[in-house]
Each structure stands twice: as C-alpha cells, then as structure tokens.
Amino acid sequence: MQKLHLSQVLSQKLSPQQIQFIKLLQVPTAELDARVEEELEINPALEEGREEEKKENEDDEFEDSYEEDLGYEDKDINLEDYLNDDYGGYKMQGDGNYSPDEEDREIPISSGVSLHEQLMTQLGFLKLDERQKLIGRQLIGSIESDGYIRRDLEAIINDLAFSQNIETDVDEIEEILRKIQTFDPAGIAARNLQECLLIQLERKEHPEDNLVQNAIKIIADCFDEFTKKHYPKIQKKLDLDDEDIKEAVNMITRLNPKPGGISDGLVKTQYIIPDFILSNNEGKLEISLNSKNAPELRVSRSYSEMFDAYDKSDKKDKKLKDTVTFVKQKLDAAKWFIDAIKQRQQTLLKTMQAILDYQVEFFREGDETKLKPMILKDIADKIEMDISTVSRVANSKSIQTEFGIYPLKYFFSEGIATESGEDVSNKEVKSVLQAMVEAENKRRPLSDDKLVKMLNDKGYNIARRTVAKYREQLQIPVARLRKEL
C-alpha cells in the first residue's frame, strides 16, 4: 500500500476515505456521537453493539481491492492488517486505556432554549400585525451571538424586500427595533456598545435617580472620553465632583457589554466534554479516553452472510452482481469506519501521552510556571508522526485534570531566554506579567517600559514589543486605561 502522510494532504488528491479519516481525527468528543449516528444512518452494514462470536474464517475476497481504495497510512496507523482484526464491539478494553467508570465522570451538556427562541417568544407577546411580525423576525434573525445587530438597517430593508416582498423604511424598522430592545436580556439588539449601555441604564429601577442620570450623561455625551478614561475631561464637561463620577463609572462598569453571551436560562449553555481524563493514582499519572470516544460498533452479520452467498451463487446473474457490488461497498465502508475509529483512539492516546511525558511537572502540580517550552515538532518527533497530525489533535481536544479542563493547545508555547541561558515557557512570563499588573497601584499603573525593566530584573530577557504583545494576548489594556480613580 502506498504510504500517505498528513503533510501530503495539501499536495495530493485524496480519496473520500482519506479525507474522512482526517476529519474524523479532528472531531472533538462532544461531536463524535453525532458523527457515528450519521454513519449508522447511511450505512446499513454498520451496527451498534458487540460481535457475539467471531467467524473462524474471515472473508478475504475483497481485501486487495479494499486496500487499494483506502490508500491511507500514517506512521502510527497500520491499515494493511485491519481485515484480520476483530472489529465486532471494539471498545479498546485490551489496552487498558478505557474505563467504564468514566461514563459517570463525563461532563454533561445542559438543556435550555436558545437566545433566538427566547426573543421570538417575547416577540409573540407584542401586539403586532403580520407585517410587523415579519419585520421583527428579520431583525431578530440579524442579532449576532453577542447580542448586537451590526447589519446596516438599509441592508435589512433590502433583505425584507427580496425575501419577504415587504417595502419598508428606516423609520418603521427603528420603531420595531426599539420594541425589541425592550426585551430581555437588557441591552439586546443594540447596534453598538454605546447604545447597549444606554439601553441598560434607561431600564434601571429608578432612571430618574441622580446616579443613573449621571451615568447616562457620561455614556450619551462623553462616550469617547469614557472609553479612553479621560475622567478629568468628563468632570469638567458635566460638572461632576470626584464622588459623583466615581459612583457613575462604577455603575457603568457593572453593565453587561455582551448581552447575548449571558447564561441565565435565556441561552443554551454547553459545558466542555473533555476528550481525555487524567487521574493521579498514588503519584502515577494515567490517561484514559473519555468513554464517548469508544463506541461499540460491528459489521452487520446479515450483510456478511449476503457476501458469503455470492461465492455459492451463479456469478452470471447480473442483478445478483449489482446487489453484491452494493453489499461489498457497504461492508468496505463499515470495516473502514470501525478501523478509523480505532486508529483515531490510538492516535489521540499516543499524542496525549507524549504531551503528558513532556509536561509532567505541570500535570503533577498544576503550576503553569512549570510548563516547558514545547512546539508541535517536539511532540511529532517524540511519537514519530507528522506535525499536521499533532496539530489536528491539539487544535480540537481537551483534557480534564484535577486542576481543571485544559485545551491541548494550552500546553504548546515558545521559549524565552533567561540570564542563566535556560529557556522558559512564554506562559511562565505571561503569568509573572499578569501578577505584576494585578499588584500594581491602579492610581499609577505600570507602563510597558516599567514592566520590561521589572521582568529583566527577574532574569527574563524580553523586549518591550514582546511585553506589549503578551499584554494584548492577556487582554490587559495599556497603562492609561488601567488607571482608576
């Protein structure tokens, strides 16, 4: 069989099965059930459950042509021998990496209604005619996941004209939009942050209160100064004393800048389902796959028997030949899918074990300063696999530890040189940087130049542009915007 490594994916024309395996490797645990269900629906030769009894003589009739069609083999994948394996009820019990107990430990997905559904329900409570309802639905459909409508109203007018045959204007659209902006959560359907904050302030319990009015004036009349934290300018413009502006700013900063992202029952909240479980058994770190990564699948006995019948029948019968061709295709696909699931599990475990071995100090204590610099090539070389394979695993998988759930890409980082000549993970530097900012005097926050000097004093050889980059990655504003009253 011709070998094809994942690094060749972009340079060679792949068969559908090769593409399927690459996609299957990337699928996170939360989506694997759906992928298996999809395969079960389209392939009657694939069934759920364990094989009750292995046949003494496996059918080899179609092995050669099947292998030619498969055409995929990575360094860690041996597809040539898969027809000799027992695929019935495959669940990886033999390698000790799966534990039925994990069924009770997996993190569930909570139920609820989506933000869109909740808004549509509230739309139904308004006394609108059919035309207004259609406009309202169009507006709700334009709300993005964070709760904003960023699409220009003129564009929405054109959408209504083409899709609903409704002629309208900006005034009518804005009238219905204002009604939607009264829905929960407060701030929904705003067109920008300023409007979002004003909607929330105007819905305060006592909007006439001086504190609320001061906050409204700040956002309505001094929004640009507010975003830049130019508080003296705001005080002068609105004639506010120190206490007034401090209370108003505190009220504003407690508002929700992303009303679509809340989880108070209005939106569906999904919890992460980790792909791996890490356990510490008396100091021995052990990795197991989440149980959902090990579905019980088997090849249909009835389809196998149909293929057996072909050997004993008159091969001149054209209808029977067409039937057997169909059966053979489904058997090929079922056997391939079962093996692909198996190879997926082995690839995941091999990659995760290498990451564990490389970052073992972190996994023992959960201290991110213990993370070592590690890039994709380090793991690829360690397990003798292609970098693209490691990348596909790292970009879509996570592990549950006693310190929390981490995406695998969290453990990859570049190195920063120290005065002693050693390399440390940039995550260690970011952690130190974060601690410095948290401990600073907020009345006189540290500039990037000062942070560079403090890091250099601690032995980290780091440039100002790198500090600025790390600060942005940590979502830490510049010193001026960190200043507090």
Side-chain angles (χ1 to χ4, degrees), residues 120-323:
M120 291 299 291
T121 299
Q122 294 177 77
L123 182 69
F125 295 148
L126 298 179
K127 294 180 180 180
L128 302 176
D129 58 32
E130 192 58 35
R131 169 193 170 85
Q132 292 173 320
K133 286 180 181 177
L134 289 173
I135 294 174
R137 289 171 188 157
Q138 189 74 31
L139 286 168
I140 289 174
S142 300
I143 295 176
E144 299 180 14
S145 60
D146 58 0
Y148 287 85
I149 289 183
R150 294 187 175 86
R151 189 163 173 76
D152 188 77
L153 294 187
E154 291 288 351
I156 295 177
I157 289 173
N158 292 334
D159 293 342
L160 285 163
F162 284 110
S163 64
Q164 304 291 344
N165 197 27
I166 292 177
E167 296 292 334
T168 184
D169 56 30
V170 172
D171 290 340
E172 185 178 19
I173 289 283
E174 285 190 332
E175 180 183 354
I176 297 174
L177 176 59
R178 283 193 292 271
K179 294 181 183 294
I180 293 174
Q181 288 176 343
T182 65
F183 293 175
D184 288 324
I188 200 70
R191 286 163 285 184
N192 52 56
L193 177 60
Q194 184 180 21
E195 186 175 45
C196 177
L197 299 177
L198 282 173
I199 291 170
Q200 294 179 62
L201 288 170
E202 289 165 357
R203 289 179 61 176
K204 287 292 183 181
E205 187 174 354
H206 301 290
E208 72 286 350
D209 185 86
N210 284 338
L211 173 58
V212 178
Q213 285 300 307
N214 287 338
I216 290 175
K217 288 177 183 178
I218 291 173
I219 297 302
D221 303 332
C222 307
F223 185 70
D224 187 55
E225 292 89 342
F226 172 76
T227 59
K228 295 177 180 178
K229 293 195 174 185
H230 289 161
Y231 300 125
K233 290 183 180 180
I234 297 174
Q235 285 184 267
K236 183 176 180 181
K237 187 174 182 179
L238 299 181
D239 191 24
L240 299 176
D241 60 31
D242 290 348
E243 191 63 26
D244 286 340
I245 192 170
K246 185 173 183 179
E247 290 180 353
V249 168
N250 285 339
M251 172 176 281
I252 294 169
T253 54
R254 289 197 296 269
L255 301 175
N256 186 1
K258 294 183 179 180
I262 63 175
S263 56
D264 58 357
L266 299 175
V267 289
K268 188 173 182 179
T269 303
Q270 288 195 342
Y271 298 98
I272 296 174
I273 297 181
D275 302 86
F276 306 94
I277 310 293
L278 179 68
S279 56
N280 190 332
N281 296 325
E282 298 181 353
K284 182 180 180 182
L285 299 179
E286 297 178 349
I287 295 172
S288 60
L289 278 171
N290 186 301
S291 59
K292 287 186 175 291
N293 281 294
E296 293 183 348
L297 298 172
R298 67 187 179 198
V299 174
S300 167
R301 180 179 292 276
S302 61
Y303 265 68
S304 296
E305 290 172 351
M306 288 173 66
F307 192 84
D308 289 341
Y310 173 63
D311 285 337
K312 303 172 185 176
S313 64
D314 181 5
K315 295 182 175 59
K316 295 181 181 180
D317 187 330
K318 186 179 183 303
K319 289 185 178 180
L320 181 58
K321 280 186 176 182
D322 291 342
T323 300

